[in-house]
Amino acid sequence: SLHKLFNLRVLCINNHISDLHKQIRTLKSDICKHKHLLHLSIPNQFTFHEVIYTANHYGLFVKDHYKQHFIKKYDWLLYKYYNITQRYQSHTTSASTVPSEERVTVLNLDGEDVNLAKNELEVLSLGPGFAVAPKVDAKMLRSVEVNMTKAAYKLKWKAVNDER
């Protein structure tokens, strides 16, 4: 019963997140359209770039403000439902000085003991941005070279077609 309720809650949150991503995509598209219209209406390029820089700077401020708001909300939810008091260490503490056992929080919904090996904890403590780098060999370098050449030709033909 509690497990089903939790799954339902996760589903609702995922749907809400999906809707927010759709709204973000729509807003980004609108921003691009307005940016283009603004570019057409301001003949002075310096003024245009100054306006765009100010808007981007303000956008980063708003993004950071809401990010902090949602981090606080997430921490509150963790405390309320799982009685976890601290999700992560302070931003000033470097990750290398904190043991991996303290950087990884394991939520066990089945009630069974979960014991992770030290190497599993170390991999999990690397965070969501961690990824295994692809092997760099001659084949990959050749692929990059071919793709760069394709991109250059596409840009060249696009420029030629735009001139017509």
Side-chain angles (χ1 to χ4, degrees):
S1 167
L2 182 62
H3 188 61
K4 288 180 183 178
L5 182 64
F6 177 78
N7 286 336
L8 181 63
R9 177 77 174 147
V10 168
L11 181 65
C12 290
I13 290 173
N14 286 339
N15 287 338
H16 181 68
I17 291 171
S18 175
D19 291 340
L20 290 175
H21 280 287
K22 288 177 188 174
Q23 290 175 3
I24 288 170
R25 283 192 299 272
T26 303
L27 289 172
K28 283 183 178 181
S29 173
D30 290 346
I31 287 171
C32 287
K33 289 175 190 173
H34 289 298
K35 187 176 177 180
H36 180 69
L37 291 173
L38 182 65
H39 178 64
L40 294 176
S41 66
I42 299 177
N44 183 349
Q45 286 297 312
F46 180 74
T47 306
F48 171 73
H49 288 290
E50 190 174 286
V51 169
I52 295 301
Y53 172 78
T54 304
N56 285 340
H57 182 69
Y58 182 71
L60 291 174
F61 170 76
V62 170
K63 182 179 178 180
D64 188 51
H65 171 75
Y66 277 101
K67 181 178 179 180
Q68 295 302 322
H69 168 75
F70 286 123
I71 286 173
K72 288 178 185 175
K73 186 173 183 177
Y74 182 69
D75 288 339
W76 176 80
L77 287 170
L78 281 178
Y79 176 73
K80 181 178 178 185
Y81 291 107
Y82 300 107
N83 200 20
I84 298 172
T85 57
Q86 194 171 20
R87 179 172 62 95
Y88 53 87
Q89 298 293 327
S90 168
H91 292 291
T92 58
T93 306
S94 74
S96 61
T97 61
V98 179
S100 58
E101 296 86 15
E102 292 180 21
R103 285 185 276 157
V104 176
T105 302
V106 179
L107 298 178
N108 184 5
L109 301 175
D110 295 330
E112 300 172 5
D113 288 338
V114 176
N115 295 321
L116 297 176
K118 178 119 175 102
N119 59 353
E120 293 172 324
L121 287 171
E122 288 174 358
V123 170
L124 288 173
S125 70
L126 294 174
F130 172 74
V132 178
K135 181 179 178 185
V136 178
D137 57 1
K139 183 178 177 182
M140 180 183 177
L141 293 175
R142 177 71 179 155
S143 172
V144 169
E145 183 181 351
V146 167
N147 287 332
M148 294 293 286
T149 305
K150 284 182 184 178
Y153 276 106
K154 285 181 182 179
L155 286 172
K156 178 182 173 183
W157 282 108
K158 185 177 188 295
V160 168
N161 287 334
D162 288 346
E163 289 178 1
R164 292 182 188 175

